[in-house]
């Protein structure tokens, strides 16, 4: 009797839907019999045509090469997809799902408050724009946000910046820390907070300048850091949607101060159509 094999689904993400290496991976997955669901911002893009199913983020046209609103919309789309799968597979019940949707619906108001950090970010940028190197640290869900912060800074201000998992700081990056190395630390009050406090102390002990992205009311972190950008607290799974905003604003203001074109950075294209 022939055994029925259920092929795992593959998920593919591309803002433009035209990214060559992503399309190559999709074609390879489909060749091996894996259905593909695409998450993209562009209706009718090559990725949308190639996939078996599409989730459109509908973030609107992205003028800048260094996408910001699409970043937020994509995280939201992935979160909603996870909720739908959790319900379908029985890992979430209706009540759990509704609670998480309510938490998601509260995020725009928290993001609006995070945007209110702009004057503080602009003032901070004035003292940081002359630096040549930055280090971004995060743990857990905030490690990818550290990568995003570093990516935006290098893309639009042309400053060398690296995002690192804070737990690996002693495996190399700690040797670079001195008074000329600003360190941006993502320190929300989540399950990794105590360990992030330890990382901040290690940076301070070596003369590094710490810029902490922390939650409102976190007087301990405000006291420890050289500079603190304060954002509203959110549930752990959704907090990155809020904490990423000061990082994007910091890259923007530093780039402006350095005379860079924030919408059209040098050497970058909106869609990477070659591998």
């Amino acid at each position: 009797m022939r055994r029925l094999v259920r092929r795992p689904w593959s998920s593919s993400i591309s803002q433009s839907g035209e990214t060559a290496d992503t399309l190559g991976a999709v074609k390879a997955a489909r060749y091996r019999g894996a259905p593909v669901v695409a998450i993209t911002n562009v209706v009718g893009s090559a990725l949308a045509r190639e996939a078996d199913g599409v989730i459109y983020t509908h973030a609107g046209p992205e003028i800048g090469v260094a996408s910001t609103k699409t970043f937020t919309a994509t995280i939201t789309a992935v979160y909603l997809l996870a909720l739908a799968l959790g319900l379908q597979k029985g890992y979430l019940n209706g009540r759990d799902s509704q609670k998480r949707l309510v938490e998601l619906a509260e995020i725009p108001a928290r993001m609006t408050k995070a945007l209110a950090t702009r004057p503080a970010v602009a003032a901070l940028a004035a003292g940081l724009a002359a630096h040549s190197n930055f280090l971004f640290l995060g743990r857990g869900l905030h490690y990818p946000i550290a990568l995003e912060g570093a990516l935006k800074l290098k893309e639009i201000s042309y400053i060398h910046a690296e995002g690192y998992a804070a737990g690996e700081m002693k495996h190399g990056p700690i040797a670079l820390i001195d008074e000329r190395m600003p360190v941006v630390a993502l320190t929300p009050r989540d399950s990794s907070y105590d360990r992030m406090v330890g990382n901040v102390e290690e940076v301070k002990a070596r003369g590094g300048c710490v810029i902490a992205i922390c939650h409102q009311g976190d007087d301990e972190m405000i006291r420890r850091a050289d500079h603190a950008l304060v954002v509203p607290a959110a549930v752990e799974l959704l907090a990155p949607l809020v904490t990423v905003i000061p990082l994007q604003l910091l890259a923007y203001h530093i780039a402006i101060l350095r005379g860079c074109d924030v919408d059209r950075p040098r050497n970058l294209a909106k869609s990477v159509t070659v591998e």
Side-chain angles (χ1 to χ4, degrees):
M1 183 176 178
R2 187 175 179 182
R3 184 180 176 187
L4 179 64
V5 178
R6 299 185 67 181
R7 298 284 184 181
W9 277 75
S10 173
S11 180
S12 178
I13 297 172
S14 170
Q15 186 280 136
S16 67
E18 304 292 342
T19 306
D21 55 351
T22 304
L23 288 169
V26 166
K27 291 174 182 178
R30 293 198 68 192
Y31 177 77
R32 289 164 176 76
V36 174
V37 59
I39 298 175
T40 183
N41 190 42
V42 181
V43 177
S45 59
L47 178 60
R49 298 194 303 271
E50 189 72 33
D52 298 280
V54 186
I55 299 172
Y56 288 114
T57 56
H58 295 296
E62 278 280 16
I63 296 171
V65 170
S67 304
T68 51
K69 64 184 180 182
T70 306
F71 178 85
T72 300
T74 301
I75 292 177
T76 305
V78 172
Y79 185 79
L80 290 171
L81 176 61
L83 288 185
L85 292 174
L87 273 171
Q88 185 181 68
K89 297 179 73 66
Y91 296 123
L92 291 176
N93 58 38
R95 187 174 179 179
D96 293 333
S97 178
Q98 186 62 34
K99 178 177 180 293
R100 293 177 186 273
L101 287 172
V102 169
E103 292 168 345
L104 179 61
E106 293 171 349
I107 290 298
R110 287 169 166 76
M111 294 175 71
T112 298
K113 290 180 179 178
L115 283 166
T117 62
R118 182 170 178 171
V121 174
L124 178 60
L128 296 174
H131 286 272
S132 301
N133 299 282
F134 277 72
L135 181 64
F136 289 72
L137 298 176
R139 287 179 181 263
L141 289 174
H142 280 88
Y143 166 49
I145 303 306
L147 296 178
E148 165 70 359
L151 177 65
K152 287 293 181 284
L153 189 64
K154 71 177 74 172
E155 280 185 328
I156 65 173
S157 73
Y158 318 141
I159 293 174
H160 173 250
E162 294 298 332
Y164 242 87
E168 297 184 9
M169 188 176 75
K170 288 190 175 180
H171 296 274
I174 199 168
L176 302 174
I177 294 171
D178 59 20
E179 66 279 359
R180 297 184 301 277
M181 172 73 83
V183 178
V184 181
L186 289 144
T187 62
R189 281 276 188 177
D190 59 15
S191 56
S192 64
Y193 178 78
D194 290 339
R195 284 168 288 170
M196 282 303 301
V197 169
N199 289 128
V200 167
E201 288 299 302
E202 288 176 328
V203 172
K204 294 289 294 176
R206 288 156 181 82
C209 173
V210 174
I211 300 101
I213 313 299
C214 61
H215 282 162
Q216 276 178 328
D218 190 353
D219 294 334
E220 179 183 0
M221 187 53 65
I222 292 171
R223 176 177 55 81
R224 290 175 185 270
D226 296 281
H227 307 279
L229 298 173
V230 179
V231 299
V235 294
E236 190 161 344
L237 284 176
L238 296 172
L241 290 168
V242 181
T243 53
V244 73
I245 289 174
L247 304 187
Q248 294 171 338
L249 287 173
L250 184 64
Y252 170 83
H253 283 290
I254 289 177
I256 291 294
L257 288 167
R258 290 167 66 92
C260 304
D261 185 338
V262 296
D263 288 329
R264 296 173 182 81
R266 67 189 184 197
N267 305 331
L268 295 179
K270 190 63 183 164
S271 298
V272 182
T273 56
V274 295
E275 293 186 74

